[in-house]
Amino acid sequence: MELWFTEEHTDNVTFSIKVDRQIYSGQSEFQRIDIFDSLEFGRFLTLDGYMMLTEKDEFIYHEMIVHVPMAVLPEVKKVLVIGGGDGGAVRELVRYPNVEQIDLVEIDRQVIEACKTYLPQTAGKLDDPRVAIHYADGLKFVRSKKDEYDLIIVDSTDPFGPGEGLFTKEFYGNCYKALTENGAMVNQHESPFYPKDAVAMQRAHKRIIDSFPISRVYQAHIPTYPSGHWLFGFASKKYHPIENYDAAAWKALGLKTKYYNDKIHVGAFALPNYVKELLEEME
Amino acid sequence: MELWFTEEHTDNVTFSIKVDRQIYSGQSEFQRIDIFDSLEFGRFLTLDGYMMLTEKDEFIYHEMIVHVPMAVLPEVKKVLVIGGGDGGAVRELVRYPNVEQIDLVEIDRQVIEACKTYLPQTAGKLDDPRVAIHYADGLKFVRSKKDEYDLIIVDSTDPFGPGEGLFTKEFYGNCYKALTENGAMVNQHESPFYPKDAVAMQRAHKRIIDSFPISRVYQAHIPTYPSGHWLFGFASKKYHPIENYDAAAWKALGLKTKYYNDKIHVGAFALPNYVKELLEEME
């Protein structure tokens, strides 16, 4: 027999992975959660049928969403992670000794429980004593916060379903308010390539630049996401992701990484003309 | 009805494109040639079932294989393109007024004829008076050449089938000999992501560094190639792709591009750690 997982990247493009077996399937209040074993990518997690992570390439996403802001912002003590129930962003954050507290706000308890059981590669650090897990809607959680976090990481699903509120102007405005004066927000920023994704990406960019004085977009090669060309947003009150990037200080930490490095930090902000043009249309 | 083109990226991963209709199918002495129309990618060309180009994203590959070396090398007058029967590399090259002669060596006449008929987007400049088309095996063609070309572009298929000889040590050595003292060779360098592709990529890198004093690898996001993470090799006698890169001179040419720009030029050489490690294993 053959078992294949297929994701529609658009109505006209599919990406399929040969599955060894399904490890977990659940339906939460919010979404369908599935975990599979595969020869090519190891275990992988999907929500409502959309790829969230594979063991083989999750390091790219998680390193890029964490180390880029951590290498720019000085003295990050308190971090808010919104979404990210798989624990991958937390795993990278707890490597920093100066981080004192991480609030992880995940709407879906069942995602965290499934990942703790079946995806220890990412979820293995959720028990770190600095991590507090809040089962809540990120949109509501940040409303009451003010001048509290040095870094907010928006590790959301796509801008439909449970993740929709995490792409609104209200949400970005509240994130701004929740940040300390040196703070920054990083978010998964969708892909520029397929037209439907690009529209969502442009809309998010527009709302972020309306809320933050400094806003830049950077990219990574994530082979299991649609088109493999994925963007992240860096939105900041004070620190610029290149001008205030301290390569020497980050290197001195001695963190070993598989994707991120000092040249990638700068190179990731070098966007193709067609992506720059999509962003500039919104500016 | 639905018609889908499916490519196996590995034994366990497939990528499928909904096809409107097949425009051309031929079997040459060397390979099977197919051209399809699709809603998502426009027309696309496959050889032996492997994706060569789509109208939607071919600009990325062709800009990156041409403009990177052209922005580094001074006074490129004579260029050799090996493979590249689709004409995309030639289209970018003829935009440079200083280029006086382009020898295009394509083993398969039928590829050029099909592209001229059905893919004018890439093949439209093959009739430029500076272009001489040679229907020949690139491996044999360069054997007799010495100190003749300022730039060699190896726009080959994968390292099996008709393209196999274009990944050999003999071939790279002959390219070195065929170049002028300021010359450089750029090649499509496969992908680092899937293990089987990575092995081919490492082997090519090893052979190139054995033949050239300066050898660097750069990358681009090409969504319709396996993993979307594609590499190019820059191998040179004298000029370094970053140290000798003249951004101002290139900008002064006023060429409009959709992917390539001055920041991309530098950023493309910023490789992820896991790619650097694959390359360093060969050095």
Side-chain angles (χ1 to χ4, degrees):
Chain A
M1 74 163 223
E2 294 201 354
L3 186 62
W4 289 78
F5 162 84
T6 295
E7 180 176 341
E8 292 186 359
H9 282 182
T10 77
D11 291 343
N12 310 302
V13 180
T14 65
F15 181 71
S16 301
I17 299 173
K18 195 172 178 178
V19 166
D20 181 29
R21 70 187 70 200
Q22 180 150 24
I23 297 297
Y24 173 82
S25 185
Q27 175 70 45
S28 75
E29 185 188 340
F30 303 102
Q31 55 206 340
R32 176 164 168 170
I33 307 160
D34 293 282
I35 300 176
F36 303 91
D37 253 344
S38 74
L39 191 63
E40 196 72 48
F41 297 106
R43 279 201 183 163
F44 64 93
L45 167 70
T46 67
L47 296 177
D48 286 339
Y50 293 98
M51 178 62 76
M52 292 296 117
L53 68 86
T54 82
E55 286 184 332
K56 183 172 162 73
D57 71 345
E58 58 84 10
F59 71 95
I60 303 170
Y61 178 92
H62 292 123
E63 288 186 8
M64 290 301 280
I65 205 166
V66 168
H67 300 307
V68 170
M70 290 300 289
V72 172
L73 303 174
E75 284 294 305
V76 174
K77 288 181 177 159
K78 197 165 175 183
V79 183
L80 173 62
V81 178
I82 294 177
D86 55 69
V90 165
R91 179 194 64 203
E92 295 303 312
L93 282 166
V94 299
R95 303 174 72 189
Y96 290 85
N98 55 310
V99 169
E100 294 171 0
Q101 188 182 332
I102 301 165
D103 286 335
L104 175 69
V105 179
E106 166 61 55
I107 200 167
D108 195 341
R109 182 187 290 264
Q110 213 167 317
V111 168
I112 292 194
E113 285 168 358
C115 292
K116 276 187 169 178
T117 308
Y118 300 109
L119 283 166
Q121 179 176 312
T122 53
K125 299 293 182 184
L126 288 174
D127 295 326
D128 187 283
R130 291 170 288 171
V131 178
I133 302 180
H134 307 264
Y135 298 105
D137 180 345
L139 181 63
K140 291 180 188 157
F141 186 91
V142 289
R143 270 191 199 134
S144 60
K145 303 292 176 185
K146 201 178 159 194
D147 191 23
E148 186 165 337
Y149 296 101
D150 304 305
L151 171 62
I152 298 177
I153 293 179
V154 187
D155 184 3
S156 69
T157 52
D158 295 314
F160 42 82
E164 197 170 350
L166 306 182
F167 287 84
T168 59
K169 194 161 158 52
E170 186 215 341
F171 173 69
Y172 296 131
N174 283 330
C175 284
Y176 181 90
K177 188 171 57 64
L179 287 167
T180 58
E181 60 175 347
N182 293 337
M185 175 190 86
V186 168
N187 70 316
Q188 83 82 356
H189 208 292
E190 301 291 306
S191 170
F193 186 70
Y194 293 115
K196 204 173 148 189
D197 299 337
V199 167
M201 183 280 284
Q202 285 183 298
R203 196 181 302 130
H205 184 63
K206 170 73 179 144
R207 291 168 182 171
I208 293 171
I209 57 177
D210 284 348
S211 303
F212 284 82
I214 297 166
S215 173
R216 290 290 182 279
V217 171
Y218 62 102
Q219 66 195 350
H221 288 90
I222 305 183
T224 55
Y225 282 0
S227 87
H229 188 175
W230 213 256
L231 303 180
F232 299 90
F234 181 103
S236 174
K237 288 190 175 184
K238 186 167 150 190
Y239 289 97
H240 186 283
I242 305 286
E243 290 161 22
N244 299 111
Y245 161 54
D246 189 341
W250 191 83
K251 278 187 181 173
L253 293 167
L255 300 178
K256 195 167 156 46
T257 47
K258 288 186 276 181
Y259 191 92
Y260 178 82
N261 59 49
D262 59 330
K263 289 199 165 64
I264 283 277
H265 184 105
V266 177
F269 286 90
L271 302 177
N273 285 349
Y274 87 91
V275 181
K276 284 170 63 180
E277 284 159 17
L278 288 171
L279 296 171
E280 284 160 9
E281 280 174 27
M282 301 292 116
E283 290 170 4
Chain B
M1 71 165 226
E2 294 200 355
L3 187 63
W4 288 78
F5 163 84
T6 294
E7 181 176 342
E8 293 186 358
H9 283 182
T10 77
D11 291 344
N12 309 301
V13 179
T14 65
F15 181 71
S16 301
I17 299 172
K18 194 171 179 179
V19 166
D20 180 31
R21 69 189 69 201
Q22 180 149 24
I23 298 298
Y24 174 83
S25 186
Q27 176 70 47
S28 76
E29 183 186 344
F30 304 100
Q31 56 207 338
R32 176 162 168 171
I33 306 161
D34 294 282
I35 299 176
F36 302 92
D37 253 345
S38 74
L39 191 63
E40 196 72 47
F41 298 106
R43 280 204 180 162
F44 63 93
L45 167 71
T46 66
L47 296 179
D48 285 340
Y50 293 98
M51 178 62 76
M52 292 297 116
L53 67 86
T54 82
E55 285 184 332
K56 182 171 162 73
D57 71 344
E58 57 84 11
F59 71 94
I60 304 171
Y61 179 92
H62 292 123
E63 287 187 9
M64 290 300 282
I65 206 166
V66 168
H67 300 306
V68 170
M70 290 300 288
V72 171
L73 303 175
E75 285 294 306
V76 173
K77 289 182 175 158
K78 197 166 174 184
V79 183
L80 173 62
V81 178
I82 294 176
D86 54 70
V90 164
R91 179 195 63 202
E92 295 303 312
L93 282 165
V94 298
R95 302 174 72 190
Y96 290 84
N98 56 310
V99 169
E100 294 170 358
Q101 188 182 332
I102 301 166
D103 285 336
L104 175 69
V105 179
E106 166 61 57
I107 200 167
D108 195 340
R109 180 187 291 264
Q110 213 167 315
V111 167
I112 292 192
E113 286 169 358
C115 291
K116 277 188 169 177
T117 307
Y118 301 108
L119 284 166
Q121 180 176 313
T122 53
K125 299 293 182 185
L126 288 173
D127 295 326
D128 187 284
R130 291 169 289 171
V131 178
I133 301 178
H134 308 263
Y135 298 105
D137 180 345
L139 181 63
K140 290 180 189 156
F141 186 89
V142 288
R143 268 189 200 134
S144 61
K145 303 292 175 185
K146 202 179 156 191
D147 191 23
E148 186 165 338
Y149 297 101
D150 304 304
L151 170 63
I152 297 177
I153 293 178
V154 187
D155 184 3
S156 70
T157 52
D158 295 315
F160 42 81
E164 197 169 350
L166 307 182
F167 287 83
T168 58
K169 195 161 159 49
E170 187 216 341
F171 173 68
Y172 297 131
N174 284 330
C175 284
Y176 182 90
K177 188 171 56 67
L179 287 168
T180 57
E181 60 177 346
N182 294 337
M185 174 188 88
V186 169
N187 70 314
Q188 83 80 356
H189 207 290
E190 300 290 310
S191 170
F193 186 70
Y194 293 116
K196 204 174 149 191
D197 298 337
V199 167
M201 183 280 285
Q202 287 183 298
R203 195 181 302 130
H205 184 63
K206 170 74 180 143
R207 292 169 181 169
I208 292 171
I209 57 177
D210 284 349
S211 303
F212 284 83
I214 297 166
S215 173
R216 289 291 182 280
V217 171
Y218 62 102
Q219 67 196 349
H221 288 90
I222 305 183
T224 55
Y225 282 1
S227 88
H229 190 174
W230 212 256
L231 303 179
F232 299 89
F234 181 103
S236 174
K237 287 190 174 182
K238 184 167 151 191
Y239 289 97
H240 186 283
I242 305 285
E243 291 161 22
N244 300 111
Y245 161 54
D246 190 341
W250 192 82
K251 279 186 182 174
L253 292 168
L255 300 178
K256 192 166 160 47
T257 47
K258 287 186 279 182
Y259 191 92
Y260 178 83
N261 59 48
D262 58 331
K263 289 198 167 61
I264 284 277
H265 185 105
V266 177
F269 287 90
L271 302 177
N273 283 350
Y274 88 91
V275 180
K276 283 170 64 181
E277 284 159 16
L278 287 170
L279 295 171
E280 283 161 8
E281 281 174 26
M282 300 292 116
E283 288 169 6

